[in-house]
């Protein structure tokens, strides 16, 4: 509670200082020929103020440490490849540092929640671009920074928020930030998951071209990814994902393990019953559980409820039971994917893509 109060007070004071600094900087720029030394000093002051404000945002959530700076860096590189001037590159860099300032007003229990947000919580989180715009309004002469913050969650196909803008009607800086922001979301660890492998990230960025992202900007981001041979552009964390397969049918579990081991970033652990599953969960963080609903010592639905209540781990059901009532019960329990044995690798891949796409956006 005390930390939250300090963060809010710090943010207000820095924002006042930052706004005043930018106003002074604008006045100095009009007298560029007479006071170049003062311009340089004020530009450095503005840079420090923006960085301090960016750091204040990240005090809200240690799991997003460095997020704003990485987004700013990626956005600046995209702008450079687009042929933007150095001044424009710095403006998009500043927009990247400040794009999430509105999260300072979102409750901690939402920002730091493990697992999927409720509909009401998600609607609350979706307010942060509007709050960012309100806090930043007037901070740049042409409105680029505040509009980038307001619209960076818009989607190219019109399915984003807050206004459902489409295509080129979304401000260019916001389209750049959308790509940079989502890339960093996927290549960073969160409180509820580890970061994603580079291969998956590239596939997802390409898949969302023309849907979530501007195709031209996406193309530049894909170039950046392809040039990053050693996967340096990420939060410095372990990229491997732990998957727990729970099934007493050895043939089925081995088949699933074989399907998954093609991706070297998956660590696969197999167990035969509910007791072993709970033991593994107590010792290891898992990113996904593939669960048979018929186990020798427990009902799969009861085990699923236990997992969701205690660990919030995404779960895929698999079973040879084709009964429509059983499948309907699974859907009612929140299970999106119910794979009927024997299933194809393509079916599993579709489920994996959807599960790991969950909460890809920041």
């Amino acid at each position: 509670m005390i930390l939250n109060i300090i963060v809010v007070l710090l943010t207000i004071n820095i924002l006042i200082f930052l706004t005043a600094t930018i106003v002074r900087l604008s006045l100095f720029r009009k007298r560029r020929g007479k006071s170049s030394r003062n311009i340089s000093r004020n530009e450095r002051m503005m840079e420090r103020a923006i960085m301090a404000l960016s750091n204040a945002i990240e005090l809200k959530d240690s799991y997003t440490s460095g997020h704003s700076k990485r987004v700013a860096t990626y956005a600046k590189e995209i702008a450079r490849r687009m042929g933007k001037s150095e001044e424009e590159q710095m403006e998009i860099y500043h927009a990247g540092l400040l794009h999430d300032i509105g999260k300072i007003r979102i409750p901690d229990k939402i920002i730091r929640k493990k697992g999927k947000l409720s509909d009401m919580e998600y609607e609350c989180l979706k307010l942060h671009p509007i709050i960012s715009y309100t806090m930043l309004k007037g901070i740049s002469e042409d409105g680029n920074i505040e509009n980038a913050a307001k619209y960076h969650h818009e989607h190219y196909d019109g399915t984003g928020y807050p206004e459902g803008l489409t295509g080129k009607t979304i401000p260019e800086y916001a389209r750049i930030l959308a790509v940079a922001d989502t890339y960093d979301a996927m290549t960073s660890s969160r409180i509820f998951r580890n970061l994603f492998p580079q291969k998956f990230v590239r596939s997802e960025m390409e898949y969302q071209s023309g849907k979530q992202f501007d195709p031209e900007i996406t193309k530049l981001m894909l170039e950046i990814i392809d040039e990053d041979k050693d996967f340096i552009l990420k939060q410095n964390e372990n990229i491997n994902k732990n998957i727990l397969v729970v099934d007493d049918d050895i043939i089925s579990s081995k088949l699933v393990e074989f399907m998954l081991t093609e991706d070297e970033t998956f660590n696969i652990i197999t167990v035969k019953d509910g007791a072993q599953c709970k033991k593994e969960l107590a010792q290891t963080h898992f990113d996904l559980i593939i669960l048979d609903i018929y186990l020798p010592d427990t009902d799969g639905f009861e085990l699923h409820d236990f997992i969701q209540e205690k660990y919030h781990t995404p779960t895929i059901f698999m079973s040879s039971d084709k009964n429509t009532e059983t499948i309907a019960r699974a859907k009612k329990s929140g299970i999106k994917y119910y794979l009927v044995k024997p299933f194809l690798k393509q079916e599993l891949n579709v489920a994996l893509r959807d599960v790991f796409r969950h909460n890809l956006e920041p």
Side-chain angles (χ1 to χ4, degrees):
M1 178 66 71
I2 295 176
L3 176 60
N4 290 339
I5 294 172
I6 293 173
V7 168
V8 171
L9 291 175
L10 178 63
T11 301
I12 293 172
N13 289 332
I14 293 176
L15 185 56
I16 292 171
F17 168 73
L18 174 59
T19 304
T21 300
I22 292 178
V23 171
R24 289 198 301 271
L25 177 59
S26 298
L27 293 175
F28 275 116
R29 279 176 173 165
K30 293 179 181 179
R31 302 192 297 270
R32 182 176 294 274
K34 297 182 179 180
S35 54
S36 59
R37 182 179 299 177
N38 285 333
I39 293 171
S40 178
R41 184 174 65 246
N42 276 267
E43 285 177 340
R44 290 195 299 271
M45 188 185 302
M46 182 179 70
E47 191 75 29
R48 288 195 296 269
I50 290 175
M51 186 58 69
L53 185 53
S54 174
N55 292 338
I57 298 167
E58 293 181 357
L59 283 174
K60 285 277 285 186
D61 185 7
S62 61
Y63 284 88
T64 60
S65 176
H67 168 69
S68 296
K69 188 171 183 179
R70 288 191 301 272
V71 169
T73 300
Y74 303 149
K76 183 183 176 185
E77 175 59 18
I78 292 172
R80 186 190 70 79
R81 293 177 184 237
M82 293 173 71
K84 300 295 184 185
S85 67
E86 289 188 10
E87 185 174 350
E88 289 171 318
Q89 291 175 41
M90 286 309 301
E91 190 172 38
I92 188 66
Y93 182 82
H94 292 153
L97 289 177
L98 297 172
H99 75 283
D100 272 343
I101 185 178
K103 286 186 177 179
I104 206 77
R105 301 300 301 275
I106 303 299
D108 286 353
K109 66 179 182 180
I110 294 177
I111 296 292
R112 299 177 180 176
K113 182 178 179 179
K114 295 182 178 180
K116 188 176 181 179
L117 299 177
S118 68
D119 290 344
M120 185 175 295
E121 289 169 334
Y122 183 56
E123 290 302 315
C124 180
L125 181 64
K126 285 167 63 177
L127 294 174
H128 83 268
I130 300 294
I131 299 172
S132 296
Y133 176 79
T134 302
M135 296 178 72
L136 295 172
K137 191 173 182 180
I139 214 165
S140 58
E141 294 179 6
D142 51 15
N144 281 339
I145 291 178
E146 50 264 51
N147 283 324
K150 182 177 181 180
Y151 296 116
H152 74 280
H153 280 292
E154 297 287 2
H155 292 177
Y156 201 75
D157 63 2
T159 60
Y161 62 89
E163 296 181 11
L165 301 182
T166 60
K168 304 297 184 181
T169 63
I170 304 170
E172 186 177 53
Y173 281 17
R175 282 181 274 132
I176 294 172
L177 282 186
V179 171
D181 195 30
T182 304
Y183 174 83
D184 188 68
M186 288 191 284
T187 56
S188 301
S189 294
R190 297 300 178 87
I191 193 169
F192 48 82
R193 63 157 173 80
N194 292 329
L195 59 84
F196 295 93
Q198 187 185 45
K199 182 179 178 181
F200 176 85
V201 173
R202 192 194 190 285
S203 173
E204 185 64 21
M205 298 297 294
E206 189 171 36
Y207 177 80
Q208 293 295 344
S209 179
K211 300 182 179 106
Q212 185 173 340
F213 309 128
D214 182 322
E216 297 172 7
I217 296 173
T218 306
K219 184 179 179 181
L220 296 175
M221 190 70 235
L222 292 175
E223 289 178 2
I224 295 171
I225 294 172
D226 290 341
E227 292 171 12
D228 183 22
K229 303 297 185 183
D230 297 322
F231 197 19
I232 296 172
L233 301 179
K234 67 179 188 300
Q235 187 185 48
N236 189 22
E237 294 287 345
N238 177 26
I239 68 170
N240 290 340
K241 308 191 81 59
N242 296 322
I243 299 179
L244 180 63
V245 180
V246 187
D247 193 347
D248 62 323
D249 184 337
I250 297 177
I251 294 176
S252 292
S253 62
K254 287 296 182 183
L255 181 59
V256 172
E257 187 176 1
F258 175 76
M259 292 179 179
L260 294 172
T261 49
E262 192 172 293
D263 190 325
E264 296 178 356
T265 62
F266 289 154
N267 297 323
I268 317 300
I269 295 177
T270 60
V271 296
K272 297 180 180 179
D273 55 42
Q276 292 179 7
C277 174
K278 291 179 180 179
K279 182 178 180 181
E280 288 292 340
L281 286 169
Q283 297 173 348
T284 307
H285 166 79
F286 287 95
D287 300 281
L288 173 66
I289 297 173
I290 302 177
L291 174 65
D292 188 4
I293 60 174
Y294 296 112
L295 298 170
D297 63 343
T298 188
D299 175 75
F301 286 96
E302 292 180 3
L303 183 57
H304 167 261
D305 291 342
F306 168 81
I307 292 168
Q308 295 311 307
E309 182 178 348
K310 190 166 185 179
Y311 299 102
H312 311 284
T313 308
T315 304
I316 295 173
F317 270 7
M318 61 177 179
S319 176
S320 56
D321 188 348
K322 301 179 182 178
N323 189 294
T324 55
E325 292 183 2
T326 305
I327 296 174
R329 181 186 173 191
K331 299 289 185 184
K332 191 174 181 180
S333 298
I335 296 295
K336 185 173 182 179
Y337 284 98
Y338 184 106
L339 302 179
V340 178
K341 301 177 184 177
F343 48 84
L344 300 175
K345 185 175 186 297
Q346 290 88 335
E347 295 177 83
L348 179 59
N349 284 343
V350 169
L352 289 173
R353 172 181 285 276
D354 190 69
V355 168
F356 289 148
R357 188 183 293 137
H358 170 63
N359 278 326
L360 293 186
E361 283 198 48

